[in-house]
Amino acid sequence: MERQGNLSEFILLGLSFDQNIQIFCFVLFLFCYVALLVGNLLILISILCSNLFHQPMYYFLIHLSSMDICYTSTVTPKLIADLLVEIKTISYSGCMLQVFAMHFFGGVETFILTAMAYDRYVAICKPLHYMLIMNRTRCNLLVIAAWIGAAIHAFPLFSMAVILPFCGLNEIDHYFCDIFPLLKVACTDTYLTGFLVIAFSGMMSLVTFVVLFLSYGIILFTLRNQSAKGRRKALSTCWSHITVVFLFFGPVIFIYLRPPTTFPEDKIFAIFYTIVAPMFNPLIYTLRNAEMKNTMRKLWCQILSSNKPHH
C-alpha cells in the first residue's frame, strides 16, 4: 500500500471534544458493541446447531450476522478505544484498510439483504415451488454473488482513496476513515472522485433500496389472498426485514447520495449504519420470529441441562 505524499498517519477528530460526552459515548458504544457481538453470536450458534440451518432464510441470516460482526468490527473497537485518548491517530495503511473493509462488508450486507428479500418473495408468492427454487445450490450462488458484488463495489472506492495525494492537512473530521472526509483533506481537485463515489455508493444503495422496496410491495400485495393465520406469519417475518432495510439504507442513502460534502450530522447518521443497525438486527430477527425464539429456547435449555451435575 504505497502512501501518497509524505503522510504516514491521520488524526481523527472523533465525535466530540467534550470530555463528558466522550465518556458517555465510551460507555454507550461499549455496551452496544458487546450487545451486538453477543446477539449475533447467539443467532449464529442457534442456527448452526439446529435444523434451521437447512432453511434458506436462516442460511442467509447466518451470513447477515457474520457480516454485521465483521462490518462493525472494522470501526467500533477503534472508536471505543479512541474515546479514551486525547489525540486519535490512525496510520495511513490502517485508514485505507478501513475504507476498503467498510465498503466491502457493507456491500456484502446490502446484497445479502437483497437475497433475503428474494427468498421471502419466493416463499410467499410461489410457496409450492419454494424448496425447488431456493435449493442450497441457488442459496450458495446468491451468497457468492453478494461477495463478488461487494468486491466490485469496494475495489474502485479503495483505489480512489489510495491514489489521493495528501500534503499538509491530516485531520479527518470523522471517527473513522471514509471516502468523503478523505476528499476534504486531499490536496487536489476531487470533483470527479466525488462524483464517482456517488455513482458507486449512492446509486448502488438507492437502486438496491428501490428493488427491496418494490419486492416487499409485491409480497404485501400477494398476502391479501392468504388466510389470516398465513398472513400474520408472513407479515411478522416481512416487517422484521423491512425494519432492518430502513435502519441500514436510510442513513447510507443520506450520506452517499448527494454532492460530495460533509456535514456535522454525518457522524450521527454514520453511527446508525455502523453500530445501531447491526446491533438491532439480532433483536429484530429473533423477537419478531417465533420459530427463532423457540429454537433458541430449546437449544439453550439443552445446553444448560447438559451442564448441570448429574447425581
Side-chain angles (χ1 to χ4, degrees), residues 210-234:
V210 169
V211 168
L212 290 170
F213 194 77
L214 289 173
S215 68
Y216 284 117
I218 295 164
I219 289 168
L220 296 173
F221 185 73
T222 311
L223 284 175
R224 295 170 314 133
N225 310 322
Q226 293 209 4
S227 65
K229 190 185 174 192
R231 200 180 307 149
R232 223 177 7 256
K233 190 183 175 195

Side-chain angles (χ1 to χ4, degrees), residues 55-99:
Q55 295 184 35
M57 184 174 92
Y58 297 103
Y59 176 69
F60 291 130
L61 186 52
I62 281 180
H63 289 280
L64 186 71
S65 285
S66 309
M67 281 309 104
D68 277 338
I69 293 169
C70 296
Y71 178 66
T72 200
S73 295
T74 60
V75 169
T76 313
K78 170 105 179 89
L79 163 64
I80 293 166
D82 280 349
L83 287 164
L84 297 177
V85 296
E86 199 175 331
I87 298 169
K88 309 161 199 340
T89 59
I90 184 167
S91 69
Y92 178 86
S93 301
C95 184
M96 295 302 132
L97 193 63
Q98 236 179 22
V99 171

Side-chain angles (χ1 to χ4, degrees), residues 3-33:
R3 73 170 181 267
Q4 298 292 317
N6 54 2
L7 276 189
S8 59
E9 65 177 22
F10 293 98
I11 294 167
L12 298 166
L13 296 183
L15 288 167
S16 170
F17 294 111
D18 188 310
Q19 193 69 41
N20 294 329
I21 292 174
Q22 288 200 50
I23 291 164
F24 169 75
C25 286
F26 171 79
V27 174
L28 177 67
F29 296 145
L30 184 62
F31 169 78
C32 289
Y33 187 57

Side-chain angles (χ1 to χ4, degrees), residues 239-260:
W239 282 125
S240 59
H241 287 209
I242 291 165
T243 312
V244 168
V245 165
F246 272 100
L247 263 179
F248 184 76
F249 281 96
V252 169
I253 289 169
F254 172 80
I255 286 182
Y256 292 108
L257 198 68
R258 59 159 204 236

Side-chain angles (χ1 to χ4, degrees), residues 46-47 50-59 61 119-120 130 233 236-237 285-299:
S46 300
I47 296 172
S50 71
N51 291 329
L52 291 182
F53 179 69
H54 302 292
Q55 295 184 35
M57 184 174 92
Y58 297 103
Y59 176 69
L61 186 52
D119 170 67
R120 287 303 83 203
Y130 178 63
K233 190 183 175 195
S236 75
T237 311
Y285 281 109
T286 48
L287 295 180
R288 296 193 65 95
N289 188 324
E291 203 173 16
M292 190 77 201
K293 278 192 281 193
N294 292 336
T295 301
M296 287 176 95
R297 203 176 293 124
K298 266 190 222 159
L299 181 75

Side-chain angles (χ1 to χ4, degrees), residues 31-229:
F31 169 78
C32 289
Y33 187 57
V34 171
L36 181 151
L37 291 177
V38 171
N40 281 299
L41 286 169
L42 276 175
I43 285 184
L44 285 170
I45 295 163
S46 300
I47 296 172
L48 288 168
C49 298
S50 71
N51 291 329
L52 291 182
F53 179 69
H54 302 292
Q55 295 184 35
M57 184 174 92
Y58 297 103
Y59 176 69
F60 291 130
L61 186 52
I62 281 180
H63 289 280
L64 186 71
S65 285
S66 309
M67 281 309 104
D68 277 338
I69 293 169
C70 296
Y71 178 66
T72 200
S73 295
T74 60
V75 169
T76 313
K78 170 105 179 89
L79 163 64
I80 293 166
D82 280 349
L83 287 164
L84 297 177
V85 296
E86 199 175 331
I87 298 169
K88 309 161 199 340
T89 59
I90 184 167
S91 69
Y92 178 86
S93 301
C95 184
M96 295 302 132
L97 193 63
Q98 236 179 22
V99 171
F100 176 75
M102 277 294 293
H103 286 280
F104 179 71
F105 292 128
V108 177
E109 185 150 338
T110 300
F111 295 124
I112 292 287
L113 285 169
T114 313
M116 290 174 92
Y118 175 67
D119 170 67
R120 287 303 83 203
Y121 164 75
V122 177
I124 291 160
C125 301
K126 299 181 179 183
L128 298 175
H129 302 111
Y130 178 63
M131 290 317 289
L132 194 67
I133 296 170
M134 296 306 293
N135 56 47
R136 188 42 61 97
T137 307
R138 177 154 299 176
C139 292
N140 287 335
L141 284 172
L142 285 168
V143 169
I144 292 165
W147 283 76
I148 293 169
I152 292 167
H153 161 69
F155 271 109
L157 293 167
F158 170 68
S159 307
M160 281 182 236
V162 167
I163 60 170
L164 283 175
F166 300 103
C167 315
L169 277 173
N170 71 336
E171 286 189 345
I172 297 174
D173 189 13
H174 214 305
Y175 63 86
F176 68 93
C177 281
D178 200 7
I179 195 97
F180 279 164
L182 279 171
L183 292 182
K184 275 188 86 173
V185 295
C187 51
T188 184
D189 180 27
T190 57
Y191 177 80
L192 182 63
T193 315
F195 179 76
L196 290 170
V197 173
I198 295 166
F200 273 103
S201 278
M203 288 312 292
M204 185 194 89
S205 306
L206 184 66
V207 169
T208 313
F209 180 72
V210 169
V211 168
L212 290 170
F213 194 77
L214 289 173
S215 68
Y216 284 117
I218 295 164
I219 289 168
L220 296 173
F221 185 73
T222 311
L223 284 175
R224 295 170 314 133
N225 310 322
Q226 293 209 4
S227 65
K229 190 185 174 192

